[in-house]
Amino acid sequence: MGYVISGMYFGWNLGLEKGGTLGMAIAKGIVVVMYVCFTLSYAELACAIPKAGDAFDPVGRAIACGVGF
């Protein structure tokens, strides 16, 4: 628990050391944009294929079922 709270798990300490406050803010901004894009595309994919099964169902539709597994 202390490892995560101290920031070592996410690399905050190294990021602040190497890039400073502005560099860390820019990096976090990029990560936020990428995460929002991922979340919106995953939500659209979940609406298109409304079946429980994690990532296996979309891959099974895109590729042959045996190869997708």
Side-chain angles (χ1 to χ4, degrees):
M1 184 73 148
Y3 191 70
V4 173
I5 291 173
S6 69
M8 294 297 292
Y9 182 75
F10 297 106
W12 295 337
N13 296 338
L14 183 62
L16 282 171
E17 177 188 351
K18 299 290 184 188
T21 308
L22 181 62
M24 199 63 183
I26 292 170
K28 280 187 180 183
I30 292 170
V31 169
V32 165
V33 169
M34 290 171 54
Y35 190 72
V36 167
C37 290
F38 165 74
T39 305
L40 292 175
S41 15
Y42 197 76
E44 187 173 347
L45 187 62
C47 291
I49 305 172
K51 184 177 175 187
D54 200 28
F56 293 113
D57 291 319
V59 172
R61 281 229 182 151
I63 307 173
C65 197
V67 177
F69 180 73

